[in-house]
Amino acid sequence: MTVWERMRNPCGWRGGAKQISVDAMIPLFAVPLLAIIAAQSFLCTVVIFLATPILVYYLHHNFLRFLLRTKFFLMWTITSVLMLMVVFEVSVVPLLEILPEENFFFILCVVGGIYCGFKTRLNADHAAQEGATEQGLELGEGSGELCVTCRRRAPPKAYHCRMCQTCILNREYHCKWLDCCIGSSNLQWYLGCLLFSATAFIYGSNLTMTTVCHPFILIGTVLLPDDCSDVYHQLDIALCFISALYSLLVGLVVFCYLMHHLWLIYLGTTSNERRLRISRNQYDHGILKNVSRLFCCKT
């Protein structure tokens, strides 16, 4: 806390110095450092990809969970996207194995994912501010059931978020990777973010791997990586391979989230309602549930 208090930006911001959160600064150094270490050898790659989730869980379980709202996961998302973009454009594209139209489509997906993510956070902030202004209502005013935390009447299918400190209509969950609640005000933008992001991560990973590895033709002009045994001979090539592997894993996770939400929309329910329905039938606080809450989204 002393270090946190001392880390203030000395620049002349409007309204005085701005405090720099220590938890938000960690990913700025951790993500590139872990990528460089993983690019040293195949063994380092395996160790880093297996140890990083454990280290993040340990950090969250012992330190970050005591903060009401942390920027750690949001900064991890931003840093990862920036690092993958820099590696792709600076190290992969100059190898002249990627067509201009392929690079254009990739950049289009990245920009679409960033824009939809920004709109997701923007609409969530507006909804939270509107909810905060309504917290001054006297008991009995408004419609719907009384929220014992907000001390106001919330509309039907609105659930309280302890991080946003307000009730969110058709609340899915609090997405820690975007640091905002997902509800009716931003669900469509969140789905767009998942769609563009999954496409960008998986497509960019395929372009990178087929560039630094020996590819083979699957169908027509569709290439897939075949032999990647010599990627560790050069650090820049190994870094491209590590970024492609990281991008592929993230893309698959994001794609699973997209399919999960489309399935919930088909069922006509939300993640929060489904969780509450399941919790009525069973009570579980095991380690698997804690890990899922950490690397997915908070309920």
Side-chain angles (χ1 to χ4, degrees), residues 2-197:
T2 302
V3 175
W4 191 350
E5 180 65 24
R6 295 298 180 184
M7 292 183 65
R8 291 182 177 270
N9 194 326
C11 301
W13 292 88
R14 182 183 303 176
K18 300 297 182 180
Q19 190 177 47
I20 302 176
S21 176
V22 176
D23 58 308
M25 295 295 293
I26 294 177
L28 296 177
F29 303 97
V31 174
L33 180 61
L34 291 174
I36 294 175
I37 296 176
Q40 301 303 314
S41 64
F42 175 75
L43 180 60
C44 292
T45 301
V46 175
V47 171
I48 291 299
F49 274 85
L50 292 179
T52 298
I54 300 176
L55 293 176
V56 173
Y57 175 77
Y58 175 82
L59 181 64
H60 176 268
H61 183 73
N62 291 276
F63 301 101
L64 299 180
R65 68 187 182 96
F66 297 105
L67 301 177
L68 178 61
R69 193 165 183 176
T70 176
K71 298 291 184 181
F72 175 84
F73 298 98
L74 175 63
M75 291 304 301
W76 189 286
T77 301
I78 296 175
T79 306
S80 298
V81 172
L82 291 179
M83 184 193 70
L84 294 176
M85 278 293 297
V86 169
V87 171
F88 184 83
E89 296 297 333
V90 174
S91 299
V92 180
V93 174
L95 296 177
L96 302 179
E97 298 288 340
I98 298 177
L99 299 176
E101 52 268 25
E102 293 176 333
N103 189 24
F104 174 78
F105 178 75
F106 170 72
I107 294 178
L108 186 65
C109 292
V110 173
V111 173
I114 294 176
Y115 179 76
C116 290
F118 170 76
K119 294 292 290 185
T120 301
R121 283 181 49 82
L122 184 63
N123 289 346
D125 292 340
H126 286 171
Q129 291 176 3
E130 292 176 358
T133 56
E134 294 176 358
Q135 289 183 7
L137 292 176
E138 298 293 336
L139 296 180
E141 294 186 7
S143 60
E145 298 182 357
L146 178 65
C147 177
V148 296
T149 307
C150 293
R151 306 297 296 172
R152 69 182 181 90
R153 296 195 178 276
K157 291 190 175 183
Y159 301 93
H160 183 80
C161 176
R162 65 180 182 86
M163 295 186 177
C164 298
Q165 297 182 355
T166 187
C167 290
I168 306 297
L169 183 61
N170 291 328
R171 179 177 180 267
E172 296 282 344
Y173 44 65
H174 187 95
C175 180
K176 60 166 62 71
W177 301 104
L178 292 178
D179 191 32
C180 66
C181 250
I182 307 301
S184 60
S185 62
N186 59 356
L187 179 59
Q188 66 276 14
W189 290 108
Y190 182 65
L191 294 177
C193 179
L194 293 179
L195 176 61
F196 281 110
S197 299

Side-chain angles (χ1 to χ4, degrees), residues 193-203 250-252 254-255 258:
C193 179
L194 293 179
L195 176 61
F196 281 110
S197 299
T199 305
F201 281 125
I202 297 176
Y203 185 65
V250 174
L252 293 177
V254 173
F255 178 76
L258 177 61

Side-chain angles (χ1 to χ4, degrees), residues 243-298:
S243 65
L245 186 60
Y246 178 50
S247 178
L248 178 61
L249 295 177
V250 174
L252 293 177
V253 173
V254 173
F255 178 76
C256 291
Y257 262 94
L258 177 61
M259 293 296 101
H260 173 69
H261 279 283
L262 293 179
W263 179 59
L264 291 178
I265 292 176
Y266 173 76
L267 296 178
T269 184
T270 63
S271 299
N272 193 73
E273 292 176 348
R274 185 173 179 83
R275 180 188 63 86
L276 293 177
R277 190 181 305 115
I278 295 177
S279 63
R280 295 190 186 100
N281 300 328
Q282 60 182 3
Y283 187 78
D284 181 22
H285 288 285
I287 187 173
L288 293 178
K289 185 175 182 179
N290 294 331
V291 172
S292 65
R293 286 183 176 181
L294 170 61
F295 294 104
C296 299
C297 296
K298 284 186 176 294

